[in-house]
Amino acid sequence: MSKKELEKIPIETIRLQTDPFYNECRAYGRLIECDVNGKVAVRCHGHIAIPATREEELNRRFEVYAWDRPEDDSELSVSKRQPFRAIVKDLIEDDRPLNEKKLIRMRKDLLKMHKFGVYPQDVQERNYGGGLLLDFSIAITKPHWVFETKRSWWIRIMINNDMNMLQEMILESGVKTWQRAVRNREYCMKLRGCPDGKERERRNRKYVSR
């Protein structure tokens, strides 16, 4: 895309598509549209606005102090500040460690999200509960300005980044499994050096999940 074409993208579009709240809204809007709300990620029930007058209560109950308010908003009296925007989701209290069954599901769910045009971009264990993704605050959901402005190689890296992060999570979990989020390049290179018969035999080998 030329500089002239890039300048045609409204600043407001870029701002809204990089705002954490709207990132969540756009991602869940697509999941709801595809009838997978609560199936590939934690279920979303909508959003609410919480008056700023409850800020002190939220600080006390949940120890949340960084609200990222604009400087001019922070200088206002509490009663005149903008309300908090919040996404309402199911409460997941499953803190059991990862296992092979969860990892298999997480990979399938991530591939489904990609199919629907949702790219979470923050695939970390801290963002999962009960095997379900909990956070879309930096997600990129089609249509999005990056698909109109970035080169194809950048888009491929962005899309593959989710799977690479999941693969790193699998390795760090210590779970014994044949499940992989990305191909084992070293193993693939070994296959290329095998005689045709053995290569075909290895490719057809199936591993049964325990």
Side-chain angles (χ1 to χ4, degrees), residues 2 14 20 45 47 73 79 127 136 144 149-150 159:
S2 67
I14 297 177
H45 299 278
H47 62 87
D73 192 52
S79 61
N127 289 332
F136 288 99
H144 194 282
T149 61
K150 299 294 185 180
I159 293 174

Side-chain angles (χ1 to χ4, degrees), residues 3-201:
K3 183 178 180 181
K4 187 175 181 180
E5 290 174 318
L6 179 59
E7 290 174 348
K8 291 181 180 180
I9 300 177
I11 293 297
E12 185 68 4
T13 296
I14 297 177
R15 185 186 72 80
L16 292 177
Q17 293 183 358
T18 51
D19 180 288
F21 177 77
Y22 288 116
N23 287 344
E24 292 265 2
C25 291
R26 284 167 51 79
Y28 272 112
R30 177 57 53 79
L31 297 184
I32 291 171
E33 184 181 76
C34 296
D35 195 29
V36 291
N37 184 26
K39 298 176 182 177
V40 298
V42 64
R43 180 174 294 278
C44 174
H45 299 278
H47 62 87
I48 59 174
I50 303 174
T53 51
R54 301 190 64 183
E55 183 173 335
E56 185 177 340
E57 177 188 347
L58 294 172
N59 290 346
R60 184 176 63 257
R61 293 183 60 186
F62 304 106
E63 298 183 355
V64 178
Y65 304 101
W67 299 103
D68 295 326
R69 287 185 173 281
E71 187 175 343
D72 55 349
D73 192 52
S74 298
E75 294 174 354
L76 298 174
S77 62
V78 175
S79 61
K80 294 182 179 180
R81 292 177 184 174
Q82 298 178 35
F84 301 112
R85 301 170 302 175
I87 304 293
V88 182
K89 307 176 185 178
D90 280 349
L91 176 62
I92 304 293
E93 297 183 294
D94 182 359
D95 58 356
R96 290 173 294 180
L98 292 174
N99 55 41
E100 187 174 43
K101 184 177 180 180
K102 286 182 180 178
L103 292 172
I104 291 173
R105 175 179 183 175
M106 288 158 63
R107 179 180 180 276
K108 289 181 178 179
D109 290 345
L110 198 53
L111 290 173
K112 286 180 182 178
M113 283 186 261
H114 283 188
K115 181 180 178 181
F116 299 139
V118 179
Y119 307 94
Q121 297 297 292
D122 195 15
V123 182
Q124 305 287 343
E125 187 173 355
R126 66 175 183 274
N127 289 332
Y128 276 87
L132 290 171
L133 188 63
L134 308 175
D135 181 67
F136 288 99
S137 60
I138 64 171
I140 292 177
T141 302
K142 288 183 175 180
H144 194 282
W145 64 271
V146 299
F147 291 96
E148 301 176 30
T149 61
K150 299 294 185 180
R151 296 183 180 275
S152 58
W153 62 264
W154 189 96
I155 298 297
R156 287 196 300 272
I157 291 175
M158 183 271 292
I159 293 174
N160 292 336
N161 194 40
D162 280 343
M163 304 309 295
N164 288 329
M165 284 190 284
L166 179 58
Q167 178 60 32
E168 186 175 343
M169 192 193 311
I170 292 173
L171 295 175
E172 291 180 350
S173 71
V175 176
K176 294 183 179 180
T177 176
W178 289 106
Q179 178 69 30
R180 293 187 63 87
V182 296
R183 290 182 178 180
N184 185 331
R185 291 189 177 183
E186 183 179 346
Y187 182 71
C188 289
M189 290 300 293
K190 290 180 180 179
L191 286 179
R192 293 190 182 97
C194 292
D196 291 344
K198 289 186 177 180
E199 181 177 357
R200 192 178 302 110
E201 179 183 345

